[in-house]
Amino acid sequence: MTIASPIPAQPNLPESLPGIWETNEPLIPLKQYAPVIEVYPAYYHDGLLGSRPDCLVRQSVAERLLHAVSVLPVDHRLVILDGWRPLEVQQSLYDRLKNQLLEQGWTESDAFYEELHRYVARPTNNPAWPPRHLTGGAVDLTITGPDGWLDMGTPFDDFSERASTRFFELHEPVDDSKLRIRDNRRMLYHAMIHAGFTNYSDEWWHFDFGNQAWAVLTGAPTADYGGILHGT
């Protein structure tokens, strides 16, 4: 399989989450980590309360990002948009999307919260079910090339069907621009899978390693990372 191969469908997942066997790996700031990784902390630039001017991830996540870069074409780099996410930022994102859905005409119901939690996890410090980003094992990212950030078909944090990773696999590209979008998503997906990550299928930009979502998809008996309430 190459970085140009079609993105496969995700298997059906069990509803239960595995336990956590915490490895206590440290969080690594990425801005000074490696020149082949560009860091653009999106929520800091948005001015979200509690956000930081850097992106932090667990040590093994940082190392695997370098593996992902190694299979990209020459003059292409990863752009990290978010990594470890404090609960304060998680709460801000949760409240923002909740209000957006209400403004769109949704009313609070089971379907409302299912849609909300599809894109933003409930902020919680429950050690048994930490939000993915609170573990330092989730990363949001894209790719930049000689002409800037690659077109992925939607902006980061576009909560629509078009943001699903396989959207352009399921909808046949009708022109060259859609074909490039499909191929750009394939490049990101396969580079990250090659490095040991798993993808959240509703978001082309979101990948996991070591957390419970990763353990479910890989069949690992336990997750390596629990929540980290306070960063370095």
Side-chain angles (χ1 to χ4, degrees):
M1 187 169 291
T2 70
I3 58 173
S5 299
I7 299 172
Q10 201 171 87
N12 293 327
L13 303 177
E15 294 185 6
S16 60
L17 291 174
I20 300 168
W21 188 266
E22 177 61 63
T23 63
N24 293 313
E25 278 187 19
L27 289 170
I28 304 296
L30 288 178
K31 269 200 169 177
Q32 303 300 321
Y33 184 69
V36 292
I37 295 176
E38 184 176 316
V39 178
Y40 183 89
Y43 298 132
Y44 178 78
H45 290 286
D46 284 350
L48 247 65
L49 193 66
S51 58
R52 296 181 174 222
D54 201 347
C55 292
L56 283 66
V57 296
R58 296 279 193 145
Q59 183 171 342
S60 290
V61 173
E63 293 168 357
R64 287 172 183 275
L65 289 172
L66 290 180
H67 287 301
V69 173
S70 71
V71 302
L72 295 178
V74 176
D75 296 330
H76 287 66
R77 295 180 295 165
L78 296 177
V79 182
I80 311 302
L81 304 170
D82 192 33
W84 173 75
R85 186 184 298 166
L87 280 176
E88 187 175 19
V89 176
Q90 188 74 23
Q91 186 69 57
S92 296
L93 291 171
Y94 189 86
D95 293 342
R96 183 169 75 177
L97 182 56
K98 182 177 181 180
N99 290 332
Q100 287 173 354
L101 292 175
L102 292 171
E103 289 169 2
Q104 292 170 15
W106 287 77
T107 56
E108 294 194 42
S109 62
D110 289 345
F112 171 85
Y113 282 103
E114 182 178 348
E115 182 71 6
L116 175 58
H117 297 153
R118 178 180 175 186
Y119 295 109
V120 181
R122 185 189 300 276
T124 175
N125 59 4
N126 186 329
W129 300 291
R132 301 183 189 204
H133 280 278
L134 187 66
T135 70
V139 60
D140 296 332
L141 75 167
T142 187
I143 297 173
T144 188
D147 300 319
W149 291 18
L150 302 191
D151 186 358
M152 295 293 181
T154 75
F156 168 56
D157 269 2
D158 176 90
F159 300 131
S160 70
E161 291 298 325
R162 291 172 66 88
S164 62
T165 306
R166 298 186 70 241
F167 181 86
F168 292 96
E169 303 287 343
L170 300 175
H171 298 79
E172 189 68 28
V174 295
D175 55 40
D176 288 345
S177 66
K178 300 296 189 300
L179 203 60
R180 282 194 296 273
I181 291 167
R182 185 201 67 184
D183 291 347
N184 290 341
R185 289 193 183 189
R186 288 180 178 183
M187 184 192 307
L188 176 62
Y189 176 87
H190 287 297
M192 294 296 285
I193 298 301
H194 173 80
F197 291 89
T198 59
N199 171 247
Y200 177 47
S201 61
D202 283 334
E203 299 174 351
W204 59 259
W205 57 82
H206 180 112
F207 292 84
D208 296 288
F209 177 81
N211 58 22
Q212 288 171 304
W214 167 87
V216 166
L217 280 170
T218 60
T222 59
D224 296 331
Y225 307 146
I228 297 177
L229 296 182
H230 305 288
T232 56

